[in-house]
Amino acid sequence: MSGRAQLMWDEAVTGYDFGPDHPMDPVRLALTRSLVGAFGLDREVDVVAAKAAGESTLRLVHRGDYVEAVKAASADPGVADGAYGLGTVDDPAFAGMHEVSALIAGQSVGAAEAVWRGDALHAVNFAGGLHHAMPGAASGFCVYNDAALAIARLLELGIERVAYVDVDVHHGDGVQAAFWADPRVLTVSLHEHPRTLFPGSGWPEETGGDGAAEGSAVNVALPAGTGDAGWLRAFHAVVPEVVAAFRPQVLVTQHGADTHFEDPLAHLAVSVDAQRAVQVACHELAHEYAGGRWVALGGGGYAVVDVVPRSWTHLVGIAAGREILPEAVIPEAWRGEVFARTRQGGPRRMTDGRWPVSWVGWEAGYDPADRVDQAVLAARRAVFPLRGLLA
């Protein structure tokens, strides 16, 4: 097995562009790749451009009629079919949509194949993590569900247990739906409560399909306003125990940066420093329970200059084994590129000034009147007994 990580990157993924007024601005991908280079991390990893996901791969998750609808809208955006979630405000159709969506999916599938083959221990596709796409519909800025496709490909290769951990501010509904009845896949999502945020799912009572799959879905629905200490407490109170009990052969994680306090589309109050701490924790979980096999994806994140590039550059550094220190000064050349592209001044350091982040572990006891603790208790009580764990 190679000791080097793989960074999945093809410049063409920046063509995933819903238009100038859409919050998912592809500049966030370009600026992340540039910041990775500014810190020299691209010399510490193997930068690989995988081929686009083909028809048979897409159909591991997506219905054939949906793929055909995406192709049609890609060739002529004017014929986008709203019944498939295409041509909507969230998912406007654009020329080449199928091709670039399949390319992003291909990077995640390629990452999964590389990790399972042993070509790399870790692989990162920060252009991926498009976790809302459903088998038969686009949703929430997501056309093809690359995370689900990567997992489905692993199952096709014969893997018996894959754990998926999603820390995007939005519920990982599409991945949960894809594997709702499949006990080979554990889906864990830590997100803002569905009462206050799209997609309105991810209640703790959603625990997987009947029979063998019961207990294969874990949802921690956090109250709006949750900050670093609560977010980290919730993560550590739920995720390590269920992952340990499941014993995955591969860990797939989704690192949407939209939990951040500056994100314009959600209501959590998490810092880049806490996001980095969870990335470190996921890396450690992969080594402790999955033989080190780790596929790390991006996801949401709409503070496209100040937050997303820093968060995902930290992720690449962790995967590469060359962590960027939080207090590291950001190279001026990158800040110049930010201004040239966006007419904004970029951040100066890789920290929000909250490092080292701290939280109180669950083993210290809980407060039944605390809203974060209520969310943790609800998740534990719903799913832990189903997995043979003490709630």
Side-chain angles (χ1 to χ4, degrees):
M1 179 175 290
S2 170
R4 287 169 67 88
Q6 284 192 2
L7 173 61
M8 315 305 295
W9 178 254
D10 185 318
E11 189 75 31
V13 298
T14 60
Y16 192 81
D17 188 352
F18 290 116
D21 298 322
H22 196 281
M24 188 176 264
D25 188 336
V27 76
R28 69 196 193 121
L29 302 179
L31 290 177
T32 301
R33 177 63 183 89
S34 180
L35 188 58
V36 165
F39 278 108
L41 292 175
D42 51 357
R43 297 192 296 273
E44 307 291 332
V45 298
D46 295 325
V47 180
V48 176
K51 64 180 182 180
E55 187 91 9
S56 62
T57 299
L58 293 172
R59 292 191 184 207
L60 292 175
V61 168
H62 294 290
R63 296 199 320 253
D65 60 319
Y66 172 61
V67 174
E68 292 306 312
V70 174
K71 287 182 177 178
S74 182
D76 180 1
V79 304
D81 189 341
Y84 291 103
L86 302 169
T88 64
V89 172
D90 275 1
D91 297 279
F94 60 92
M97 179 173 62
H98 164 75
E99 289 77 11
V100 70
S101 299
L103 181 63
I104 290 172
Q107 305 314 303
S108 293
V109 170
E113 291 173 340
V115 166
W116 186 238
R117 283 194 308 257
D119 295 343
L121 195 57
H122 310 324
V124 179
N125 176 25
F126 58 73
L130 303 179
H131 60 169
H132 294 307
M134 292 293 176
S139 177
F141 313 163
C142 305
V143 177
Y144 293 140
N145 195 321
D146 64 284
L149 288 163
I151 295 167
R153 176 60 176 148
L154 289 170
L155 298 177
E156 187 180 46
L157 291 171
I159 292 182
E160 297 175 349
R161 294 180 309 282
V162 182
Y164 172 75
V165 175
D166 187 320
V167 296
D168 192 288
V169 78
H170 302 91
H171 177 227
D173 57 338
V175 183
Q176 178 179 285
F179 303 106
W180 180 254
D182 194 334
R184 297 173 298 173
V185 181
L186 175 73
T187 62
V188 187
S189 182
L190 190 79
H191 49 265
E192 185 178 328
H193 201 284
R195 283 198 190 96
T196 55
L197 195 66
F198 175 90
S201 59
W203 297 80
E205 295 79 15
E206 297 171 30
T207 58
D210 294 337
E214 194 173 20
S216 64
V218 185
N219 287 291
V220 187
L222 294 168
T226 298
D228 288 359
W231 194 64
L232 291 167
R233 174 173 168 81
F235 178 93
H236 287 283
V238 175
V239 178
E241 285 186 70
V242 293
V243 170
F246 187 69
R247 298 179 299 110
Q249 295 162 284
V250 178
L251 179 65
V252 179
T253 57
Q254 196 267 21
H255 297 273
D258 43 10
T259 52
H260 196 271
F261 55 79
E262 288 187 10
D263 197 273
L265 300 189
H267 318 99
L268 295 192
V270 173
S271 69
V272 165
D273 299 296
Q275 292 175 347
R276 181 186 187 277
V278 160
Q279 294 165 3
V280 169
C282 288
H283 178 224
E284 292 172 349
L285 287 173
H287 279 281
E288 191 163 359
Y289 301 115
R293 291 180 289 269
W294 182 33
V295 177
L297 309 174
Y302 310 100
V304 299
V305 170
D306 287 345
V307 177
V308 173
R310 290 190 296 158
S311 186
W312 293 348
T313 296
H314 277 306
L315 180 64
V316 174
I318 292 161
R322 211 202 89 187
E323 295 184 15
I324 302 298
L325 296 175
E327 60 270 21
V329 174
I330 292 175
E332 279 299 318
W334 183 81
R335 298 185 71 247
E337 180 180 347
V338 167
F339 186 78
R341 285 180 176 270
T342 70
R343 290 298 182 261
Q344 298 180 43
R348 295 183 177 276
R349 293 184 181 271
M350 293 294 285
T351 180
D352 284 330
R354 298 185 181 180
W355 191 266
V357 290
S358 61
W359 70 95
V360 178
W362 194 250
E363 64 278 2
Y366 60 85
D367 177 359
D370 182 88
R371 293 177 66 208
V372 169
D373 284 7
Q374 289 170 1
V376 171
L377 274 172
R380 290 176 65 103
R381 287 172 174 168
V383 80
F384 272 39
L386 300 174
R387 303 223 63 89
L389 300 169
L390 294 175

